[in-house]
Amino acid sequence: MIELAGIVKRFRDADREVPVLDGLSLSVADGEMVAVVGASGSGKSTLLYLVGGLDADFEGQARVAGRDLGTLSERERATFRGREVGFVFQSFNLLPHLTAMENVCLPAWFAEGPALRAEAPRRGAEALRRVGLLELAGQRPARLSGGQRQRVAIARALFAGPRLLLADEPTGNLDTRSGEEIIDLFGELSRGGMTVLVVTHEERVSRAAGRVLRLEAGRLA
Amino acid sequence: MRASALLTLAARNLRADGRGALLNGAAVAVGATALCLFLALGMGVGQAVRQLFPSEARLVEVVPSSVSLGPLLGGGQLDDAAVRRLAALPGVTAAWPRMNLRVPLAATRGPEGLALNYPPGFVLQIPAVGVEPGLLAGALAPGAAFADPGPEGAIPVVLSSRLLELYNKTIAPAWNVRRLPTGAALVGLELPVKVGFSIVPLKTEDRVYDARLKLSGLSDRVPVHMLALPLDVVRRLHREYGKADQGYSAVTLQAASAEEVPSVAAAVRRSGFAVDDADRALAERAGAAVGVATLALSFLALLMLAVAGLAIAQSLLASVRARAREIALLQAVGATRGDVRALVLAEAGLLGLGGGLLGSALARLCAAGVDRAALRLLPDFPFRPGSFVHFPPWLWAVGLGVAVLAAVVGAIGPAAAATRIDPARTLA
Ligand SMILES: Nc1ncnc2c1ncn2[C@@H]1O[C@H](COP(=O)(O)OP(=O)(O)O)[C@@H](O)[C@H]1O
Ligand SMILES: [Mg+2]
């Protein structure tokens, strides 16, 4: 599912070039759940967004879900983000003026072709059922608890039917109990065949993963 | 991203910040109202001015030069040869000579068949001019012959259509006499006159006889203070009373188009004649004054719209900054940077559309109000226009178009700022 080799990612900071990822390699098989841990500022988020096609400015080889990320056009990368991967964030990033259902169906607005839009109600309901929140479909995020919000965000990531979930500190803003539920949900999805790459510094998240990699000095170990 | 999806999403974003959207929409609406209203007033008053000072754009009035160098330059008297020469000038499609009647003509009674309480003993001296039927084309009643009927027949005459308006709006109310029906209803009336009679005793001719005038039509091409008779009648009366031939008083030239009028006028002056453009100059000056005022006010309105555009630019920029996370998220779920730009522009476009629609509608209402107030408050003076505003359908399009343009141009900066958001950095 993920094949990275010789990845170098630099940020220009003032006049210095800081290499955050420095010759990084990573291989994740289909259906695997991999946790990436590391100190704050070690480049975990940078790695995740690079894999998800949000950042195209890097050196090295990156094949994700059968696509060579280095060769995609901007339009193709957008479609890739919308259909092939699902993002889950620490701060949920739900739109406050949309209902849970509308938030889940957000990717349909940008999908090429009418198919995803036509199927949006069915897919949205399906994704919300998957995370156990169908009965709250009409609620705005403000009316939901933190754990419920994160589950709506996971439903949004599942909406277009991707086979890769990318989660950046998904339990960072949650209490222990809600965090556990989210971790269980990832485990379930993984057992169902979903590939999960999760960035975390929490022990309990990495325990649920099949493999734990440490990001240090720009490389994984 | 499909246009319908784009607009729906943009509309939702606007609704999410309803108060800001309302404020910006109102700013655009005020500008659009001002623009449409000023243009409608400018065009309406312009039309009224043209009605007050009618000046046919294609006509050139040739008169004998006051400082005539005579035959030296080929100028001097306006005789038949001169008319032929003028008609042959490049760009001239017709030449109609006119000759003022130098035999006095007076009415001592009102027209027959018209219940007009004509003041007893009142003598109305009637200045008259002989013209060719071609000048009056279209103004003559169907079947009316505009030619000399001989000494016994009723002489066909054409009145200024403006005289009727002046009479009804000023003379009739002042003298407390009945107003005349407007338009064709008067045509066919006969007025008994005395040929050779003048209220100035010395000017009365030795022979005075009765004749009848028959109204054959109303025309704007007849001077307000004169009655137009067939040219042949004027020639006959001059012969009857032994008046020497002094040539024509004026020649009306018709140019092929309004654009050729200046070159025709120049050619006329080169041939040694003068051009009487007092009427045209007056009309042009009045028209120019209205035009300049309209232009200045429209410029002010455009300035207001530009300010509205700036307000939109400022608040959209703030909104884009506040929504950086949201915009980054849209990109994470499949939006391109182009989609993000289009979304911000669409939000502004909708603001402009709403404001423009509201503004144009308000302007239409204000215009109707101004019109009603003006018609109620202004007295019934001659040539009072039926309306002081002109609001053609395309003015709606102008109001809408300019409002949308101002808003979208204002959104260019914020849209660019939205595309510069780095989603990876913003979401991390
Ligand atoms: N756009 C950027 N410009 C400059 N430096 C950046 C940018 N994004 C991230 N960084 C730097 O890269 C490093 C890694 O960041 P990040 O991937 O967010 O770390 P982590 O997620 O492991 O905490 C940090 O030092 C951060 O300051
Ligand atoms: Mg991070």
Side-chain angles (χ1 to χ4, degrees), chain B:
Chain B
M1 192 181 182
R2 295 201 352 271
S4 60
L6 186 72
L7 290 177
T8 315
L9 207 55
R12 283 180 175 218
N13 286 345
L14 288 181
R15 219 177 319 140
D17 176 25
R19 202 204 305 227
L22 227 56
L23 225 59
N24 285 327
V28 175
V30 168
T33 305
L35 182 66
C36 290
L37 188 60
F38 292 156
L39 283 176
L41 271 172
M43 287 189 291
V45 173
Q47 276 181 356
V49 162
R50 275 192 294 284
Q51 215 174 317
L52 263 176
F53 308 100
S55 146
E56 279 185 63
R58 285 168 63 201
L59 299 189
V60 177
E61 285 292 293
V62 181
V63 291
S65 177
S66 50
V67 278
S68 175
L69 297 176
L72 260 180
L73 285 175
Q77 218 181 40
L78 275 172
D79 52 17
D80 283 317
V83 173
R84 272 195 302 277
R85 258 185 296 139
L86 289 168
L89 289 176
V92 173
T93 55
W96 297 296
R98 294 203 313 240
M99 190 186 287
N100 292 343
L101 178 64
R102 281 176 285 133
V103 176
L105 196 65
T108 54
R109 282 183 289 152
E112 289 159 0
L114 190 69
L116 183 79
N117 41 348
Y118 192 87
F122 178 76
V123 179
L124 179 65
Q125 197 76 48
I126 305 172
V129 60
V131 302
E132 286 192 341
L135 181 72
L136 305 172
L140 293 170
F146 196 72
D148 185 3
E152 301 301 322
I155 302 168
V157 297
V158 171
L159 264 178
S160 161
S161 35
R162 302 164 56 69
L163 178 62
L164 202 60
E165 169 89 8
L166 282 171
Y167 177 84
N168 277 339
K169 295 284 176 68
T170 58
I171 300 173
W175 290 1
N176 200 19
V177 292
R178 196 184 295 246
R179 293 179 186 211
L180 292 172
T182 48
L186 287 173
V187 170
L189 276 183
E190 295 202 356
L191 177 71
V193 290
K194 291 189 181 303
V195 179
F197 185 81
S198 170
I199 46 172
V200 183
L202 277 175
K203 291 208 170 168
T204 300
E205 301 288 341
D206 297 336
R207 188 167 82 92
V208 173
Y209 67 93
D210 290 328
R212 283 172 300 127
L213 305 181
K214 180 175 179 164
L215 188 61
S216 306
L218 298 166
S219 167
D220 265 344
R221 287 183 173 176
V222 175
V224 159
H225 58 287
M226 283 183 146
L227 226 153
L229 323 170
L231 200 48
D232 287 339
V233 172
V234 172
R235 286 204 185 93
R236 173 166 61 83
L237 292 177
H238 281 175
R239 267 197 314 277
E240 282 176 16
Y241 286 88
K243 303 288 180 191
D245 182 14
Q246 294 185 354
Y248 296 111
S249 340
V251 179
T252 303
L253 299 182
Q254 187 182 49
S257 67
E259 288 70 49
E260 287 181 67
V261 163
S263 71
V264 167
V268 167
R269 291 196 180 94
R270 273 198 303 279
S271 335
F273 297 108
V275 173
D276 177 6
D277 53 7
D279 281 357
R280 179 190 311 280
L282 192 61
E284 277 176 3
R285 231 174 303 141
V290 173
V292 166
T294 306
L295 203 70
L297 288 174
S298 303
F299 185 72
L300 193 74
L302 285 176
L303 224 60
M304 289 162 83
L305 275 167
V307 170
L310 279 178
I312 286 182
Q314 213 231 315
S315 79
L316 262 185
L317 192 63
S319 140
V320 160
R321 291 201 174 124
R323 289 186 293 162
R325 263 182 174 278
E326 186 175 322
I327 288 165
L329 176 86
L330 296 183
Q331 298 194 48
V333 299
T336 61
R337 279 187 299 165
D339 291 338
V340 166
R341 187 198 345 256
L343 192 61
V344 175
L345 291 177
E347 284 175 26
L350 285 180
L351 277 180
L353 203 66
L357 208 60
L358 182 69
S360 306
L362 272 178
R364 186 75 196 84
L365 279 178
C366 286
V370 164
D371 223 15
R372 187 155 334 148
L375 291 181
R376 209 182 44 231
L377 298 176
L378 291 177
D380 189 16
F381 57 87
F383 312 113
R384 195 182 81 157
S387 172
F388 292 89
V389 293
H390 180 53
F391 208 103
W394 58 259
L395 205 50
W396 288 87
V398 167
L400 272 182
V402 176
V404 170
L405 194 73
V408 170
V409 167
I412 288 175
T419 65
R420 280 195 299 270
I421 288 171
D422 175 1
R425 181 100 209 226
T426 309
L427 291 168

Side-chain angles (χ1 to χ4, degrees), chain A residues 45 49 54-55 74-75 78-79 81-82 87 89 91 93 95 97-98 102 106-107 109-110 117 156 168, chain B residues 1-2 4-5 8-9 12-13 16 325-326 329-337 339 423-424 427-428:
Chain A
S45 297
Y49 295 125
L54 265 178
D55 184 353
E74 205 211 324
R75 173 76 255 175
T79 305
R81 295 193 296 267
F87 286 99
F89 310 93
S91 49
N93 287 323
L95 303 198
H97 55 281
L98 301 186
E102 289 167 337
L106 204 59
W109 293 99
F110 306 97
R117 283 213 66 186
R156 179 181 62 199
D168 192 356
Chain B
M1 192 181 182
R2 295 201 352 271
S4 60
T8 315
L9 207 55
R12 283 180 175 218
N13 286 345
R325 263 182 174 278
E326 186 175 322
L329 176 86
L330 296 183
Q331 298 194 48
V333 299
T336 61
R337 279 187 299 165
D339 291 338
L427 291 168

Side-chain angles (χ1 to χ4, degrees), chain A residues 170-206:
Chain A
T171 57
N173 278 5
L174 299 179
D175 58 57
T176 318
R177 234 182 75 84
S178 318
E180 298 287 349
E181 283 172 18
I182 297 300
I183 296 159
D184 290 348
L185 186 54
F186 279 130
E188 260 174 56
L189 288 168
S190 170
R191 281 191 293 283
M194 179 75 73
T195 311
V196 181
L197 183 63
V198 58
V199 158
T200 185
H201 57 261
E202 286 190 56
E203 194 69 0
R204 56 191 173 127
V205 179
S206 47

Side-chain angles (χ1 to χ4, degrees), chain A residues 9-13 18-21 38-49 55 168-169 199 215, chain B residues 422 424-425 428:
Chain A
K9 171 72 192 176
R10 297 188 182 88
F11 285 117
R12 257 166 291 279
D13 214 16
V18 188
V20 176
L21 306 179
S40 178
S42 57
K44 305 185 293 296
S45 297
T46 304
L47 169 65
L48 203 70
Y49 295 125
D55 184 353
D168 192 356
E169 310 271 12
V199 158
L215 186 54
Chain B
D422 175 1
R425 181 100 209 226

